[in-house]
């Protein structure tokens, strides 16, 4: 599952030596793509479009690709709806290439309603992140299944939140897999 863009963590990516990881901080060295201010600047659109289309065309029929995750956690890092123009563009570019694999952008925060609506309406497979305990996670699954499309949880498991492999994984197997 290839991911093109990401709004998580450090906003200013750069070439060269990356920041040292911060002990005890999950993904502390992670960089956004394309980062800021690049994601806010429409002048970057042609370069980003070329990047997305080149990669999609090259691997459009590659059996190793299960799914294209066009944008990880759009709106994160306090970007909110500022991410919507790039999110809409990356879906448009992917549809123009029309790869054989499905495309998606995972829902991850429920109060980002405009982004969520767009992501769910335009994803071939609804992907999502949920770090809640089993019972709450089950409600997420039930809600998202109402869209009538395949569903994949692409991020979960947070011990401090009681989202555990031993409880959530069996529920996901039972509720999401047809064997």
């Amino acid at each position: 599952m290839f991911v093109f863009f990401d709004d998580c963590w450090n906003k200013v990516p750069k070439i060269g030596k990356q920041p040292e990881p911060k002990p005890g901080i999950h993904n502390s060295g992670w960089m956004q793509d394309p980062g800021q201010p690049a994601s806010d600047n429409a002048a970057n659109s042609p370069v980003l479009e070329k990047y997305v289309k080149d990669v999609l065309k090259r691997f459009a029929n590659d059996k190793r690709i299960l799914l294209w995750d066009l944008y990880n956690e759009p709106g994160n890092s306090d970007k909110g709806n500022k991410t919507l123009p790039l999110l809409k563009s990356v879906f448009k570019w992917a549809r123009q290439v029309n790869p054989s694999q499905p495309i998606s952008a995972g829902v991850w925060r429920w109060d980002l309603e405009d982004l969520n609506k767009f992501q769910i309406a335009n994803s071939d497979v609804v992907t999502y992140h949920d770090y809640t305990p089993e019972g709450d996670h089950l409600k997420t699954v039930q809600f998202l299944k109402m869209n009538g499309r395949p569903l994949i949880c692409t991020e979960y498991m947070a011990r401090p939140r009681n989202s555990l492999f031993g409880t959530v994984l069996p529920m996901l197997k039972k509720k999401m897999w047809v064997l």
Side-chain angles (χ1 to χ4, degrees):
M1 189 165 75
F2 190 94
V3 181
F4 284 99
F5 299 125
D6 190 337
D7 280 349
C8 293
W9 293 98
N10 300 299
K11 292 184 178 191
V12 186
K14 62 181 179 179
I15 295 172
K17 183 166 172 39
Q18 300 300 304
E20 291 297 322
K22 296 175 185 144
I25 307 289
H26 167 74
N27 284 345
S28 61
W30 197 269
M31 292 291 162
Q32 291 183 22
D33 181 16
Q36 282 185 300
S39 61
D40 299 334
N41 187 346
N44 291 319
S45 189
V47 172
L48 298 176
E49 179 180 4
K50 182 174 177 14
Y51 159 61
V52 169
K53 285 183 172 180
D54 282 355
V55 173
L56 282 169
K57 286 175 186 173
R58 171 65 180 91
F59 298 100
N61 295 303
D62 193 313
K63 301 287 186 214
R64 296 172 296 176
I65 307 288
L66 170 71
L67 173 88
W68 296 98
D69 185 354
L70 301 178
Y71 210 126
N72 182 55
E73 296 191 3
N76 203 338
S77 303
D78 298 320
K79 289 182 178 182
N81 285 334
K82 291 178 189 170
T83 296
L84 198 50
L86 182 55
L87 180 66
K88 287 181 176 182
S89 292
V90 72
F91 268 93
K92 180 178 101 179
W93 302 330
R95 292 288 180 213
Q96 288 171 343
V97 172
N98 194 26
S100 63
Q101 309 93 340
I103 61 173
S104 184
V107 176
W108 68 281
R109 201 171 106 190
W110 299 109
D111 62 336
L112 296 173
E113 293 178 22
D114 293 338
L115 289 165
N116 292 340
K117 212 180 297 184
F118 182 83
Q119 289 166 251
I120 291 170
N122 289 278
S123 292
D124 299 322
V125 173
V126 176
T127 58
Y128 72 97
H129 302 170
D130 192 308
Y131 290 98
T132 61
E134 174 191 2
D136 293 328
H137 194 140
L138 176 58
K139 290 175 188 171
T140 299
V141 169
Q142 291 167 333
F143 173 75
L144 290 173
K145 283 180 103 176
M146 291 189 304
N147 293 290
R149 273 181 255 137
L151 183 63
I152 298 174
C153 177
T154 51
E155 286 187 28
Y156 80 100
M157 214 300 283
R159 289 179 193 93
R161 297 182 190 173
N162 205 26
S163 174
L164 308 170
F165 290 126
T167 55
V168 174
L169 191 58
M171 180 276 297
L172 291 174
K173 181 179 179 183
K174 181 178 178 185
K175 295 297 179 186
M176 295 175 57
W177 293 88
V178 178
L179 300 176

